[in-house]
Amino acid sequence: MQLLDIERRSDINAAVAVGQPGSGAARRVFIETYGCQMNVSDTELMMGVLKKAGFRRALALEDADVVLLNTCAIRERAEERVVGRLSQLSRVKRARPDLVLGVSGCMAKHLAEQLLDRLPYVDLVVGPDSYRRLPELIGEAAGNPALDVRLDRGEDYLELDPVRQEGTNAWITIMRGCDKFCTFCIVPYVRGRERSVPAGDLLRQVRLAASEGFQEVTLLGQTVNSYHDGESDFADLLKMVARVEGIRRIRFTSPHPSDFSDKLIGTIAEESKICRFIHLPVQSGSDRVLEAMKRTYSSGRYVDLVDRLRSAVPGLCLSTDVIVGFPGEDDSDFESTMALMRHVRYDSAFMFKYSPRKGTVAYREIPDTVPETEKSRRLQAVIAQQTGISGEINRRYVGRMQEVLVEGDARRGKGQAVGKSDGFKTVVFPRDGIRTNTFVDIRITDATSHTLIGRPEN
Ligand code: SAH
Ligand code: SF4
Ligand code: F3S
């Protein structure tokens, strides 16, 4: 999964309203989402479950009777943020004791009972495989704290329709869980075993999204390209999705480098609706570290895959995830990561300091040897190098045309609109009455390491 930086992503607020049918006083829910796109998608799923049970929407936290934090456990910092937020919300609860305060998602599974023991004002703890039971659990939480964090390898939330947030992209979760067990990663423990949603149900969801006006879908899974429903593999699924009328752009995240077949590369090359952008997490450029991480590929095989992708798909944009300071990583390992990134020249990268996660193999078996100050130094160095490369790549777009799907007003800059290019570049341009969710041709006039700037041109 392409991890959206938790720090930046945590401001995504999803509001659902809930109310009991015929109960007069409607109960309303507000959900705050942390972590990756999978959680954004799960928040929409929870909204769907709650709506079906007759609950209604709270537009602001102050109006809610139930507040859920849909949480992430990927790094320690992600959990600390949620604990901080919960302690803020405990003050709201003191003023309004009837407020139900719940924790869902990966941290709910990771800490489970500990959350209820440590934070007595939490009423509800619900793990990623128990969202069907949400209405029931909210009911139970009115008396005693309710907890359900069982993992269920059969749960694929078939036949549940999400209530999508506003926007121009529809998230479609095509597989859940992960079987890779990279030694640093908590995901297999909090999300359980890998399972794929049958293609028929996914196509129904894509058609529904298209009928709601979405022209772009993003297929989601922790190792999205290991999708297999018994009949169709990921390449087959992409082809089927490409045939859905109304869908003009298809994205997916995150593929695992070891599961990238030639068939899949061929499909991406052939299908023009599949965007020319791939997030391909590398984690490290050192073979020794990749081995200790159990990533199942070498830097050579990874670079070979990049070469095959680039020759099959001209103009392909690439991003990645990198961890610095993995236990045992020395200067030369780190330099290998820097060198690999200079060689591949990613369009962008998400870069993280290693964070030991209780329950993982690395936590149990490999001492966290790299001092915090050294982790910080490496992180700064890798970010500085990548910022330079991203800037150089983006500046080459100046003068070129880009087809942009308009997402809405730009956050900064009055009268400016923002959208994404096929290659997933953020493009900012004068709004000039251009409607959201339309495609517009933009002439690029300037660029930074994060953004392309331009103006519409017919
Ligand atoms: N399934 C996705 C990863 C999801 S987690 C994949 O394999 O691509 C997103 C990213 O968080 C990972 O790619 C990794 O770079 C980072 N990450 C995971 N565990 C971490 C840890 N313990 N410390 C620091 N970064 C971590
Ligand atoms: Fe974590 Fe590895 Fe699975 Fe990605 S593939 S979710 S990094 S265990
Ligand atoms: Fe995503 Fe964080 Fe869970 S990255 S899968 S929300 S641990």
Side-chain angles (χ1 to χ4, degrees):
M1 167 110 350
Q2 177 191 352
L3 190 93
L4 297 164
D5 192 318
I6 289 147
E7 277 71 36
R8 268 180 285 139
R9 230 11 225 205
S10 57
D11 58 354
I12 294 178
N13 286 346
V16 218
V18 287
Q20 257 128 28
S23 69
R27 295 188 82 194
R28 292 153 177 261
V29 172
F30 188 83
I31 309 181
E32 218 167 77
T33 311
Y34 296 79
C36 66
Q37 297 101 326
M38 187 66 82
N39 259 12
V40 175
S41 171
D42 278 356
T43 290
E44 296 180 340
L45 181 86
M46 287 195 270
M47 290 184 203
V49 170
L50 291 165
K51 191 179 155 211
K52 212 168 151 192
F55 287 73
R56 286 181 55 219
R57 179 180 179 113
L59 290 174
L61 196 141
E62 300 74 50
D63 302 331
D65 306 297
V66 181
V67 173
L68 290 176
L69 303 191
N70 194 16
T71 61
C72 174
I74 202 80
R75 283 170 291 274
E76 199 174 355
R77 166 119 183 92
E79 292 190 339
E80 285 166 1
R81 281 179 61 85
V82 170
V83 171
R85 183 70 174 137
L86 283 168
S87 115
Q88 263 178 4
L89 292 174
S90 73
R91 289 197 282 278
V92 180
K93 196 172 154 72
R94 225 171 294 146
R96 288 176 44 207
D98 57 327
L99 181 79
V100 173
L101 186 53
V103 180
S104 63
C106 300
M107 181 183 170
K109 171 64 192 164
H110 189 214
L111 299 181
E113 287 88 354
Q114 281 182 54
L115 273 169
L116 295 178
D117 293 346
R118 273 202 249 154
L119 310 171
Y121 42 83
V122 170
D123 303 295
L124 172 66
V125 174
V126 50
D129 284 345
S130 305
Y131 297 152
R132 274 183 205 274
R133 288 196 60 222
L134 253 181
E136 191 187 325
L137 289 165
I138 290 173
E140 283 171 23
N144 278 308
L147 174 99
D148 189 346
V149 292
R150 284 169 295 188
L151 290 177
D152 176 357
R153 63 168 70 210
E155 181 58 280
D156 54 11
Y157 295 114
L158 203 64
E159 278 146 25
L160 284 176
D161 288 323
V163 172
R164 298 196 188 281
Q165 293 178 58
E166 277 179 28
T168 54
N169 173 75
W171 308 105
I172 311 279
T173 298
I174 68 163
M175 45 114 50
R176 304 183 73 86
C178 180
D179 284 353
K180 291 277 192 272
F181 287 92
C182 303
T183 56
F184 53 81
C185 185
I186 194 72
V187 170
Y189 304 92
V190 294
R191 290 264 169 187
R193 296 291 57 73
E194 179 185 317
R195 67 217 95 132
S196 295
V197 182
D201 194 63
L202 294 173
L203 287 173
R204 190 186 60 75
Q205 285 187 42
V206 173
R207 284 191 207 103
L208 186 66
S211 75
E212 289 168 357
F214 289 96
Q215 303 181 81
E216 180 181 283
V217 290
T218 302
L219 309 184
L220 293 179
Q222 293 300 342
T223 54
V224 75
N225 52 338
S226 64
Y227 176 89
H228 208 298
D229 73 350
E231 262 174 53
S232 310
D233 66 12
F234 185 55
D236 300 329
L237 179 68
L238 281 172
K239 279 201 190 124
M240 291 188 261
V241 172
R243 267 179 240 125
V244 175
E245 212 176 313
I247 297 301
R248 287 184 55 183
R249 276 184 175 177
I250 302 165
R251 301 187 186 278
F252 55 87
T253 197
S254 290
H256 192 286
S258 297
D259 294 335
F260 234 109
S261 65
D262 287 336
K263 177 180 171 187
L264 177 55
I265 297 176
T267 302
I268 296 169
E270 279 160 29
E271 285 291 350
S272 60
K273 286 185 181 179
I274 302 174
C275 291
R276 270 44 194 149
F277 168 79
I278 297 177
H279 179 69
L280 195 63
V282 67
Q283 313 300 356
S284 171
S286 154
D287 288 340
R288 214 170 58 82
V289 172
L290 286 170
E291 172 97 42
M293 287 175 162
K294 287 217 165 55
R295 283 295 287 182
T296 72
Y297 51 83
S298 63
S299 59
R301 263 190 56 209
Y302 180 94
V303 169
D304 179 60
L305 171 61
V306 168
D307 290 345
R308 284 186 291 136
L309 279 165
R310 281 185 166 154
S311 61
V313 190
L316 181 70
C317 295
L318 285 174
S319 72
T320 199
D321 289 342
V322 167
I323 297 176
V324 301
F326 185 79
E329 182 189 76
D330 64 19
D331 283 343
S332 77
D333 295 316
F334 176 63
E335 182 42 45
S336 301
T337 300
M338 294 284 275
L340 182 139
M341 294 176 80
R342 284 194 297 273
H343 177 80
V344 173
R345 291 180 66 81
Y346 295 100
D347 290 79
S348 60
F350 295 85
M351 294 154 282
F352 310 105
K353 281 193 257 185
Y354 170 69
S355 170
R357 302 281 61 211
K358 200 170 177 189
T360 62
V361 173
Y363 181 91
R364 282 199 304 273
E365 294 175 10
I366 324 178
D368 186 14
T369 50
V370 184
E372 189 56 31
T373 50
E374 183 55 21
K375 282 184 190 167
S376 299
R377 190 194 68 76
R378 289 179 193 173
L379 184 66
Q380 290 316 314
V382 79
I383 290 174
Q385 174 176 282
Q386 183 55 43
T387 305
I389 293 171
S390 298
E392 285 166 21
I393 293 177
N394 285 353
R395 276 191 291 280
R396 275 203 232 124
Y397 281 78
V398 174
R400 284 164 57 182
M401 296 295 292
Q402 294 287 294
E403 189 186 45
V404 172
L405 175 58
V406 184
E407 291 173 354
D409 285 333
R411 251 187 291 174
R412 271 175 284 173
K414 284 193 206 86
Q416 301 287 302
V418 68
K420 288 279 187 323
S421 71
D422 187 279
F424 208 55
K425 305 259 182 215
T426 299
V427 185
V428 173
F429 49 94
R431 182 93 222 201
D432 284 348
I434 300 169
R435 290 206 326 262
T436 296
N437 203 28
T438 56
F439 285 88
V440 57
D441 290 324
I442 300 291
R443 171 81 62 192
I444 305 304
T445 55
D446 201 357
T448 70
S449 51
H450 291 111
T451 312
L452 304 180
I453 297 132
R455 57 181 146 68
E457 193 172 291
N458 296 316

